[in-house]
Amino acid sequence: MRGQLPIDDTSPAVGERPPWRDPRLPPAERAAALVPLMTLEEKVAQLVGVWVGADASGGGVAPHQEEMAGVEFAEVIADGLGQLTRPYGTAPVDPVAGARSLAASQAQVVAASRFGIPAQVHEECLTGFAAWRATVYPAPLSWGASFDPELVERVAGHIGRSLRAAGVHQGLAPVLDVTRDYRWGRTEETIGEDPYLVGTVGAAYVRGLEGAGVVATLKHFAGYAASRGGRNHAPVAMGPRELADTVLPPFEMALRLGGARSVMNSYTELDGLPAAADERLLTGLLREEWGFTGTVVSDYFAVRFLERLHQVADGAGDAARLALRAGIDVELPTVDTFGAPLVEAVRAGEVDEALIDRALHRVLVQKAQLGLLDPDWQALTGDPAQLRLDDETGRELALRLAREAVVLLRNTGGVLPLAPGRRVALVGPVADDPLAMLGCYTFPAHVGPHPEHGLGVEVPSLREALAALVPDLAYAPGCDITGDDASGIPAAVAAAAGAEVCVLAVGDRAGLFGRGTSGEGCDAADLALPGVQGELVRAVLATGTPVVLVLLAGRPYALGPGTDAAAAVVCGFFPGQRGGQAVAEVLTGAVEPSGRLPVSVPRHAGGLPATYLSPPLGRRTEVSSVDPTPAYPFGHGLGYTTFDWSGAGGPAEWPVDGEVTVGITVRNTGERAGTEVVQLYLHDPVAQTTRPVVRLVGYARVALEPGRAARVAFTVPADLASFTGLRGRRIVEPGDVELRFGRSSADPAAVVPLRLTGAERETGPGRALLATATVTPIATPEEAAAPEEAAAPAEAATPAEAAAPTEAATPAEAVTPEEAVVPEEAVVPEGAA
């Protein structure tokens, strides 16, 4: 009988605890004990999810859902259940009521099957817990703009604790796709266009989530962001070197430095092979080479897409076979090909049951790690009555991250910060739109409008936040975000003309599959501002009033000749529910801008794709009439104070199997406190394959009061100079290189020439992935004369600090101005990190 078998004589005696229930045993041993006790139906039941809120009428949140949803809950859980899909993230539900509902569903799952194993629950959490009344944090491009992994880790930790308290075990984040084409609608979900930035910030997010006891899911493995024409799901044309050197490193970093326990496949095909069927990727690389032991979950409907979209499978059972063989363990979001079609294929001899056992063992190991095989598993769920998903701590973290992520791109004539008493007009279609703060994986944008429920959290618009700081603020929207109605532009022009300064806010509205200008399935044909916003910008600039152009968007739009007349330009990438406040505070000077661009801002709307990670011929040349030079390069960002960089130094040689320490002194020469982001780039002038002109290998945020200075040191392993060589292996090649201290990727402040010495070396699977940054305050002459006032010597950084290249490492002993100009090894004690 389905779901019921008599206890045989290999089972433990009645009253004894079977080994798989024993928390004292290792998870792998417990899983191995349970697998052979299960029937085929019970096995496959653990490899599927069920979307309890799925809407089979077609009103759901993913494409093709109407073809694949609509299962009966009682029927699908009869043999057990692997996962519950988004019980909070499908429709507005009060968190307390949602927690109680989830507990009731779990009780049904446990009662329905022979082994009584609860389901693993997953939710989206890219910009916070994607649930109604949960804090909405800035989008991942803002994480990148902060250049602050430590803060991102704190944010993720708070998100993870909220998920765990709500009975959620797995979060579908972070996105580690490296931006390759800004037209792609999901650019807003990426951390940036540089693999080192994506990897360090992404690993920090993973540490926060996993540290809270929630399984982090790395997505989308791999190559998704490089789709042709920036079109969602389009094929990827990419060679193995670009894949190895640009796309894959963030995933390796998040696994090794973050400890992620799950990976999600990409929808895309790479060189004609869909990722969901790519055994070399999901097993050969991920497990055999990198040593990953967690679970691989399918992106929603990706297994069925092997049949219906990619057309590489002959039916549902064949799709399941391809996915299992490749290395996918769990089919999400709901039972489909891994259900009856898979059972039938096994019974027909078309699928080896050993593949199911392999996936099942991984799933059960993870459930054991989460406590879901324990007799007292219910104790892991918090008290529903105490559940609060939008608390003061979360809101403050969201505000701090938004503040650090606002990027000041231009500031001429001292127009910013806005001087008190000046007449200010605020115009533009996103100026009074709370949704302009929210990315596509926030609950309001992702689930869709529910006017009767509202947004669920307070999201002040820029107008609301700026009006609290600027009295008598004039306002006119000018136009909508989309559409061709320009009838409101004259009123906006009049408001601007009557003001001493005009703040012009333009940008995006996030949505899904064409329901927005940014987000999943909302790709752009070019990088011109949507609708008639470009016409609005030109008209307002023509008034002659100094204009502060504010871009609130999910991708960089072209800011070329049409915006050169703007006195100032400020950028925020979907800065979250407190983003309006953060932008207003930067505009008025209440907060010092410290964000840096995680993506370049193009000068022209076409000529794509192009990011800063280009070899020489990918940049401006005399053999092409198209100039891809950006308006603002990766890493660019200004503040309201000034910094002087001096005394760059380091040794002359760098062993190919060692590390090198280089340093530079940064001094705040302005009248305001501020934060400089010191960036370190590698330039390899001659290599056996073409290389990017520069690429990021380290960075540090340096906060300084006026007149104060610090020595910033980077210890860089030679492995960070490695690349995929002629034979397809990652190597460190001897020869001349440069480490460039940069204010951005295009603005080197100092260059340290070095020679990599020794024989060519393969790095191997355990290669070093991080440079370590140390920020050492420099004593003033008065402080230097008073030894008792000097800072205490630093202790060596913890592994977590070493994994976050920020000011997290405590300062070494104070140094004099004279010491500050000698090579760095004289400043940073050996072993300090």
Side-chain angles (χ1 to χ4, degrees):
M1 182 180 297
R2 183 179 181 188
Q4 300 291 326
L5 286 177
I7 297 177
D8 60 31
D9 54 13
T10 64
S11 301
V14 176
E16 291 184 20
R17 176 181 292 172
W20 63 270
R21 279 286 193 203
D22 191 345
R24 297 169 298 179
L25 296 178
E29 187 174 331
R30 296 170 70 184
L34 182 53
V35 170
L37 303 180
M38 289 183 162
T39 67
L40 177 60
E41 287 82 2
E42 288 168 336
K43 290 176 179 180
V44 298
Q46 292 296 321
L47 308 185
V48 299
V50 60
W51 197 339
V52 290
D55 179 5
S57 68
V61 299
H64 306 279
Q65 181 177 317
E66 69 280 358
E67 302 174 20
M68 302 173 190
V71 295
E72 291 294 331
F73 188 61
E75 178 182 352
V76 79
I77 66 173
D79 293 304
L81 181 64
Q83 296 226 7
L84 278 168
T85 294
R86 295 174 61 184
Y88 294 91
T90 300
V93 58
D94 179 81
V96 172
R100 289 174 175 153
S101 174
L102 175 57
S105 296
Q106 287 280 42
Q108 284 181 268
V109 172
V110 169
S113 64
R114 185 161 64 109
F115 294 98
I117 301 171
Q120 187 166 325
V121 181
H122 75 261
E123 290 282 357
E124 299 285 359
C125 60
L126 191 63
T127 54
F129 189 170
W132 193 55
R133 293 186 175 174
T135 304
V136 181
Y137 296 87
L141 271 184
S142 283
W143 311 353
S146 75
F147 277 72
D148 193 344
E150 185 183 30
L151 177 57
V152 171
E153 183 173 346
R154 289 184 59 196
V155 166
H158 196 71
I159 294 170
R161 288 185 288 274
S162 296
L163 290 165
R164 207 70 177 97
V168 178
H169 311 101
Q170 181 169 2
L172 302 187
V175 170
L176 298 182
D177 296 296
V178 177
T179 303
R180 303 301 286 161
D181 189 329
Y182 314 129
R183 295 172 296 181
W184 190 48
R186 304 190 77 168
T187 294
E188 62 169 81
E189 299 177 48
T190 71
I191 295 169
E193 67 183 53
D194 179 87
Y196 188 85
L197 179 66
V198 174
T200 50
V201 174
Y205 184 93
V206 169
R207 287 194 298 274
L209 211 60
E210 290 280 358
V214 174
V215 174
T217 310
L218 311 182
K219 57 186 193 180
H220 306 87
F221 195 63
Y224 192 20
S227 56
R228 290 178 189 165
R231 296 176 58 248
N232 196 36
H233 290 220
V236 170
M238 178 186 295
R241 286 186 179 82
E242 183 179 355
L243 180 70
D245 293 345
T246 302
V247 172
L248 295 178
F251 291 93
E252 185 179 6
M253 294 172 78
L255 291 173
R256 289 179 50 195
L257 305 178
R261 287 181 284 174
S262 193
V263 171
M264 175 179 280
N265 73 279
S266 165
Y267 283 128
T268 194
E269 65 173 78
L270 183 61
D271 193 26
L273 185 59
D278 192 343
E279 188 174 6
R280 292 173 301 174
L281 179 70
L282 300 182
T283 297
L285 175 66
L286 181 62
R287 296 192 183 277
E288 295 172 1
E289 186 172 334
W290 288 355
F292 177 65
T293 59
T295 59
V296 176
V297 299
S298 77
D299 205 340
Y300 283 14
F301 309 114
V303 180
R304 177 66 84 160
F305 286 175
L306 294 175
E307 175 204 5
R308 296 190 175 172
L309 300 185
H310 293 293
Q311 299 180 2
V312 296
D314 185 14
D318 194 37
R321 176 186 65 84
L322 289 174
L324 274 172
R325 186 183 66 183
I328 288 180
D329 303 311
V330 179
E331 181 182 34
L332 297 180
T334 206
V335 59
D336 183 29
T337 72
F338 277 25
L342 178 56
V343 172
E344 293 169 5
V346 172
R347 299 209 189 282
E350 298 167 355
V351 175
D352 187 347
E353 191 170 348
L355 291 176
I356 293 174
D357 290 349
R358 181 180 72 171
L360 175 62
H361 186 268
R362 295 165 182 163
V363 167
L364 293 178
V365 166
Q366 193 162 99
K367 285 196 170 187
Q369 292 170 344
L370 293 167
L372 294 176
L373 300 188
D374 296 354
D376 60 347
W377 66 269
Q378 296 94 334
L380 297 174
T381 301
D383 179 6
Q386 303 300 316
L387 189 60
R388 298 290 182 272
L389 303 183
D390 184 34
D391 59 14
E392 186 60 30
T393 299
R395 290 190 292 269
E396 285 303 311
L397 284 170
L399 177 59
R400 181 180 168 189
L401 182 54
R403 285 168 169 164
E404 289 192 6
V406 176
V407 186
L408 176 61
L409 299 179
R410 180 191 300 169
N411 189 22
T412 59
V415 66
L416 291 179
L418 296 171
R422 302 192 77 180
R423 297 191 314 277
V424 179
L426 175 64
V427 303
V430 304
D432 198 28
D433 184 1
L435 290 175
M437 305 295 164
L438 309 182
C440 78
Y441 267 76
T442 62
F443 184 87
H446 199 72
V447 176
H450 290 270
E452 69 278 14
H453 292 280
L455 297 180
V457 292
E458 292 185 6
V459 186
S461 68
L462 177 58
R463 180 188 182 188
E464 184 179 349
L466 191 58
L469 301 174
V470 178
D472 303 318
L473 182 68
Y475 167 70
C479 64
D480 291 331
I481 294 173
T482 58
D484 57 4
D485 183 2
S487 61
I489 291 180
V493 168
E500 293 177 273
V501 178
C502 177
V503 177
L504 172 56
V506 294
D508 279 322
R509 178 178 291 126
L512 290 168
F513 308 110
R515 298 195 295 269
T517 59
S518 175
E520 187 172 358
C522 297
D523 310 316
D526 58 38
L527 294 177
L529 286 165
V532 295
Q533 293 184 77
E535 183 179 342
L536 173 66
V537 170
R538 291 187 292 272
V540 171
L541 288 174
T543 65
T545 299
V547 172
V548 178
L549 181 63
V550 176
L551 181 66
L552 298 174
R555 63 165 61 86
Y557 284 101
L559 299 179
T563 63
D564 285 346
V569 180
V570 174
C571 183
F573 297 107
F574 287 141
Q577 74 181 68
R578 300 291 290 273
Q581 177 182 343
V583 174
E585 289 173 337
V586 167
L587 293 176
T588 58
V591 167
E592 179 79 8
S594 64
R596 299 295 185 266
L597 283 175
V599 287
S600 305
V601 174
R603 187 162 181 80
H604 302 288
L608 301 168
T611 74
Y612 98 97
L613 286 176
S614 296
L617 286 175
R619 298 192 168 199
R620 181 179 181 178
T621 68
E622 296 180 355
V623 296
S624 173
S625 59
V626 176
D627 181 2
T629 304
Y632 304 99
F634 172 87
H636 174 73
L638 306 174
Y640 294 145
T641 189
T642 55
F643 294 93
D644 177 73
W645 297 28
S646 63
E653 295 188 343
W654 186 4
V656 296
D657 58 353
E659 60 186 24
V660 69
T661 297
V662 296
I664 196 166
T665 298
V666 178
R667 185 178 301 277
N668 184 343
T669 56
E671 299 179 353
R672 295 174 57 114
T675 298
E676 182 71 297
V677 178
V678 179
Q679 302 158 48
L680 188 69
Y681 293 89
L682 175 72
H683 171 63
D684 189 349
V686 179
Q688 59 185 250
T689 67
T690 61
R691 306 295 301 135
V693 175
V694 292
R695 60 184 177 92
L696 187 71
V697 294
Y699 59 89
R701 290 177 61 91
V702 184
L704 292 171
E705 294 294 320
R708 300 309 300 256
R711 186 73 177 176
V712 183
F714 293 96
T715 299
V716 187
D719 285 356
L720 289 187
S722 67
F723 61 94
T724 302
L726 291 175
R727 295 183 298 277
R729 306 289 294 176
R730 181 174 286 275
I731 62 168
V732 180
E733 185 181 32
D736 293 333
V737 296
E738 295 175 354
L739 287 175
R740 298 179 176 181
F741 292 96
R743 297 181 176 90
S744 75
S745 59
D747 184 13
V751 175
V752 179
L754 297 158
R755 183 166 185 82
L756 281 161
T757 58
E760 181 180 302
R761 179 179 68 87
E762 288 190 12
T763 58
R767 68 189 176 99
L769 299 172
L770 287 173
T772 303
T774 304
V775 179
T776 305
I778 295 176
T780 64
E782 293 77 13
E783 291 169 334
E788 67 275 8
E789 298 294 329
E795 297 179 357
T798 65
E801 291 169 333
T806 69
E807 65 270 38
T810 51
E813 59 184 340
V815 296
T816 66
E818 291 74 18
E819 290 174 312
V821 297
V822 301
E824 185 55 33
E825 53 269 77
V827 177
V828 180
E830 183 178 357

